[in-house]
Amino acid sequence: MRRKILIIEDDEHTSHLLTEFVSGYSDVFHAVDGREGIQKFHSHKADVTLLDTHLPDLSGFDVFDQLQANEEELIIFITADEPSEYFIQSIKKGAKYFLRKTIEKAILDAVLERALDNKLREKHKLQLIHDAESRFKNRN
């Protein structure tokens, strides 16, 4: 099954590299700033969003806040900055995944695999809870 990945990244080289890494098994959509990223996020219903922390119009954290209305969204922060400051800030915001540029394909693949697997497990758990609640309501 092909995944949909949204890359919100203003650096053309990084965006191209990320696209090369994932285009074999994903449909890829791009945005070069935060506002475009938010619009494409909603219109394409991406499975995963790779989100740069520094964008020309909004910070990646501002974009993250707008995209996190539903906690099921899978957003991976990417940055070229020293990891500690942005890592701490992204964790406080609720991010679960964080990559530092320059990104290697093997690392990106491992993070995507783990993130998508966790998302699938969480979705399965929620379905089990929903099913159990439905069975309980039907008994009463």
Side-chain angles (χ1 to χ4, degrees), residues 81-99:
D81 295 317
E82 278 301 309
S84 58
E85 175 187 344
Y86 289 98
F87 180 75
I88 291 167
Q89 192 172 354
S90 65
I91 295 295
K92 285 181 178 180
K93 290 272 189 187
K96 296 176 182 136
Y97 304 96
F98 185 89
L99 292 170

Side-chain angles (χ1 to χ4, degrees), residues 1-2 15 19 30 34 51 87 97-99 104 107-108 112 119 123 127 134 136-137:
M1 179 170 117
R2 289 183 67 81
S15 182
T19 301
H30 299 97
L51 175 60
F87 180 75
Y97 304 96
F98 185 89
L99 292 170
E104 296 176 31
I107 294 171
L108 177 62
L112 285 172
K119 183 178 181 178
K123 191 174 184 177
Q127 185 62 48
S134 293
F136 181 75
K137 286 178 185 176

Side-chain angles (χ1 to χ4, degrees), residues 20-117:
E20 265 186 38
F21 287 168
V22 300
S23 62
Y25 56 86
S26 301
D27 295 325
V28 182
F29 305 94
H30 299 97
V32 295
D33 63 42
R35 286 181 181 84
E36 181 186 14
I38 292 166
Q39 181 271 323
K40 286 190 175 181
F41 177 86
H42 293 297
S43 65
H44 292 292
K45 306 288 187 220
D47 296 302
V48 180
T49 300
L50 300 174
L51 175 60
D52 188 17
T53 55
H54 293 289
L55 297 166
D57 59 344
L58 300 169
S59 79
F61 300 109
D62 292 335
V63 174
F64 181 83
D65 287 341
Q66 293 189 45
L67 301 183
Q68 276 298 103
N70 178 350
E71 289 187 15
E72 292 179 19
E73 304 307 339
L74 183 49
I75 299 168
I76 300 172
F77 274 111
I78 54 176
T79 188
D81 295 317
E82 278 301 309
S84 58
E85 175 187 344
Y86 289 98
F87 180 75
I88 291 167
Q89 192 172 354
S90 65
I91 295 295
K92 285 181 178 180
K93 290 272 189 187
K96 296 176 182 136
Y97 304 96
F98 185 89
L99 292 170
R100 182 151 188 244
K101 297 175 189 174
T102 301
I103 299 167
E104 296 176 31
K105 182 175 182 359
I107 294 171
L108 177 62
D109 286 346
V111 170
L112 285 172
E113 182 180 333
R114 177 69 178 200
L116 288 165
D117 186 50

Side-chain angles (χ1 to χ4, degrees), residues 112-137:
L112 285 172
E113 182 180 333
R114 177 69 178 200
L116 288 165
D117 186 50
N118 286 344
K119 183 178 181 178
L120 186 61
R121 270 193 231 148
E122 188 62 30
K123 191 174 184 177
H124 182 68
K125 270 197 291 188
L126 292 173
Q127 185 62 48
L128 289 173
I129 291 168
H130 179 267
D131 292 349
E133 288 173 344
S134 293
R135 284 193 303 275
F136 181 75
K137 286 178 185 176

